[in-house]
Amino acid sequence: ISLKKNEPKWMLEKRLAGLVEFEKLQLSKWGANLSGIKWRDLVYYVEPRVRDKVSWEDLPDDLKKTFDALGVPEAEKKWLAGVEMQVDSEKMYSSLKKHWEKLGVVFLSMDEGLKQYPEIVREYFGSIIPVGSNKLSALNVAVWSGGSFVYVPKGVEVKLPLQAYFYMETERMGQFERTLIVVEEGAQVHYIEGCSAVVFGSPSLHAGVVEVVVKKNAKCRYTTVQNWYKNVYNLVTKRADVGERARMEWVDANIGSRVTMKYPACLLKGEGASGSMLSIAVAGGGQQLDTGAKMYHLAPNTTSEIISKSISKDGGRSSYRGLVSIAPNAKGSKSRVVCDALILDSESRSDTYPMNRVMTQDAQLEHEAYASKISEEKTQYLMSRGMTEGEAHTMIVRGFLGEVMDELPMEYAVELNRLVKMEMEGSVG
């Protein structure tokens, strides 16, 4: 892979170090059952069938139809600062509006970022998620391809979102994109990623890694709308380094996949830094979505919030797994954790695995959780107003998810509402 991409020697050395760690490390014993992953059968890299294009007209007809159906071209014209699309291992299409380009904003594939900005990539690649952090992130270091490189200069506020879309169309594919976002002092950016895959019978693997650097007084929001097909193992590592008075926001919506294990983290290193996580997980039959967040308070007066909403139906299983760690020197820090579960039938299951470590007496931590089912009274009331039972349940579910839906851009909230409705009707996947 390194040879095909003509990478510098130091990146090859990182890849080889990642391979050593991958072979040495064991998969976690907790969480979902990952025995269905056939490591030897996976396709680790796919040569691009289309080299990077800057015009929709140059894309193959089948890809144009796919992305037209997702509404990407219309979104690009109306309300995105830039868009990038990756199919399997490589980027197919990208653009950045000239206004932001003139201000010094960089939005490239990770491969292009390595070629054009090697000093920045070398400084931050693996600085937040070390090569031996876990078995899947080590594998990503070894075989990564694609992903996004975003750089926002000091004081620049990117007022429209940047979007990346990741799509699998090869059977038994392993997709290992690597994303690096650097937001300089006083800058702001919103990055959105969408994920989906072609329907295949064999299991596929998505093991992306995301590193975000948010410097003093800067702000970054990272939104994910995931709708993988239900044969995909989605095992992602995401972590942000948050500086003085900076803010990092993760917004995560998980609908598809066979298994998801994902716990975005904030390292709140600067005084007054803040982090938040808003998460939705909808687990249907044959699915296990194990999601949550990690907040590390490493400086005084830092704040964090985790709001997790999960729905289990048709025998699906959802889990919240989270960590809040407040260090001895993080005096005056505050954290709030809310994990709510809605269980729609007697075959489904929801679990909560919170861990809170507070190592100073001068801190405040709130933790609340509840599990419930759909109330018969609410269902009957809505049905008395002319709804079917299915429509009533869908409306109740949307209300349950409202706190997170409100934080999505309108177009994504509409898309997620549609996906939730389809899932409630049993037609997703």
Side-chain angles (χ1 to χ4, degrees):
I1 293 173
S2 197
L3 183 64
K4 283 177 185 291
K5 294 174 178 289
N6 195 28
E7 292 176 343
K9 184 181 177 184
W10 63 264
M11 181 54 76
L12 174 58
E13 289 169 353
K14 281 187 179 290
R15 287 185 182 276
L16 294 173
L19 183 60
V20 169
E21 290 296 321
F22 169 72
E23 292 175 341
K24 190 190 325 180
L25 293 167
Q26 299 297 313
L27 285 172
S28 60
K29 302 295 183 188
W30 46 267
N33 180 1
L34 304 179
S35 62
I37 301 174
K38 306 303 180 188
W39 302 100
R40 296 288 178 188
D41 294 343
L42 290 174
V43 178
Y44 286 86
Y45 178 75
V46 176
E47 290 267 14
R49 63 184 173 103
V50 178
R51 288 291 170 186
D52 182 24
K53 301 294 181 186
V54 294
S55 167
W56 282 104
E57 287 67 35
D58 294 335
L59 289 171
D61 288 341
D62 59 332
L63 285 182
K64 278 194 286 191
K65 285 178 184 174
T66 297
F67 292 114
D68 277 336
L70 293 165
V72 178
E74 200 62 27
E76 180 188 358
K77 287 178 199 167
K78 289 185 176 178
W79 47 268
L80 291 175
V83 64
E84 174 191 318
M85 299 185 317
Q86 177 173 328
V87 177
D88 291 336
S89 301
E90 294 285 358
K91 187 188 71 170
M92 291 288 177
Y93 171 86
S94 67
S95 71
L96 175 67
K97 285 189 168 57
K98 292 202 178 334
H99 170 71
W100 305 109
E101 209 172 320
K102 288 177 184 174
L103 292 175
V105 176
V106 178
F107 182 37
L108 300 169
S109 73
M110 192 64 184
D111 299 279
E112 290 173 318
L114 176 59
K115 287 175 183 171
Q116 296 184 35
Y117 299 90
E119 299 85 4
I120 298 176
V121 174
R122 188 168 190 175
E123 180 180 356
Y124 294 110
F125 188 102
S127 64
I128 310 172
I129 302 173
V131 65
S133 182
N134 62 66
K135 189 175 180 71
L136 274 302
S137 64
L139 179 61
N140 180 282
V141 172
V143 299
W144 75 269
S145 190
S148 298
F149 174 75
V150 177
Y151 179 83
V152 187
K154 183 176 179 179
V156 174
E157 181 182 347
V158 185
K159 294 182 179 178
L160 297 172
L162 302 172
Q163 180 185 11
Y165 206 93
F166 300 100
Y167 183 69
M168 283 190 212
E169 65 170 9
T170 298
E171 190 165 8
R172 298 189 308 278
M173 181 65 203
Q175 193 171 68
F176 304 97
E177 83 276 1
R178 184 94 188 190
T179 293
L180 174 62
I181 299 175
V182 180
V183 190
E184 292 287 0
E185 187 174 332
Q188 292 189 31
V189 71
H190 183 187
Y191 176 90
I192 303 173
E193 68 176 3
C195 316
S196 66
V198 171
V199 176
F200 286 118
S202 308
S204 300
L205 172 65
H206 174 244
V209 167
V210 176
E211 295 180 293
V212 184
V213 180
V214 194
K215 297 194 178 178
K216 183 178 178 180
N217 294 322
K219 179 181 176 182
C220 180
R221 172 173 280 202
Y222 194 111
T223 298
T224 301
V225 179
Q226 168 210 303
N227 184 32
W228 293 118
Y229 182 63
K230 292 179 184 175
N231 64 346
V232 176
Y233 286 81
N234 182 42
L235 311 172
V236 180
T237 307
K238 296 181 174 181
R239 203 172 294 170
D241 185 308
V242 191
E244 185 180 347
R245 294 189 302 277
R247 179 163 179 79
M248 179 67 203
E249 299 175 350
W250 300 102
V251 181
D252 218 37
N254 301 289
I255 304 290
S257 79
R258 177 184 297 185
V259 168
T260 287
M261 294 177 70
K262 188 197 305 183
Y263 322 98
C266 290
L267 308 179
L268 303 172
K269 291 184 176 179
E271 183 167 3
S274 64
S276 73
M277 172 66 176
L278 299 173
S279 173
I280 291 172
V282 182
Q287 290 180 278
Q288 183 171 352
L289 303 187
D290 197 284
T291 60
K294 298 178 181 180
M295 297 290 173
Y296 296 91
H297 293 254
L298 304 171
N301 303 311
T302 48
T303 59
S304 68
E305 182 178 56
I306 301 171
I307 297 176
S308 172
K309 303 273 189 176
S310 68
I311 296 170
S312 307
K313 63 182 286 287
D314 300 330
R317 180 177 177 182
S318 63
S319 305
Y320 165 78
R321 196 180 301 272
L323 167 67
V324 175
S325 178
I326 302 179
N329 68 322
K331 298 184 184 304
S333 292
K334 297 178 181 179
S335 183
R336 175 174 176 252
V337 180
V338 179
C339 45
D340 299 336
L342 191 60
I343 304 172
L344 301 191
D345 53 63
S346 57
E347 290 77 38
S348 300
R349 174 175 169 175
S350 180
D351 303 278
T352 303
Y353 305 101
M355 182 181 290
N356 300 320
R357 292 200 300 248
V358 182
M359 291 166 274
T360 173
Q361 292 188 355
D362 184 11
Q364 182 178 316
L365 174 67
E366 301 174 27
H367 184 102
E368 59 181 274
Y370 78 81
S372 64
K373 64 178 184 178
I374 288 182
S375 137
E376 289 183 16
E377 291 81 1
K378 289 179 182 176
T379 303
Q380 289 298 325
Y381 174 80
L382 292 172
M383 289 175 69
S384 73
R385 295 297 184 268
M387 290 187 179
T388 65
E389 185 177 23
E391 289 169 341
H393 286 177
T394 299
M395 177 169 278
I396 293 167
V397 166
R398 285 175 175 170
F400 174 76
L401 299 176
E403 192 170 2
V404 180
M405 293 279 200
D406 289 346
E407 293 301 317
L408 292 170
M410 184 183 70
E411 292 79 3
Y412 287 88
V414 169
E415 178 188 353
L416 192 58
N417 264 315
R418 181 175 55 82
L419 289 172
V420 169
K421 183 175 184 293
M422 290 168 67
E423 180 67 31
M424 292 300 295
E425 293 170 350
S427 55
V428 169

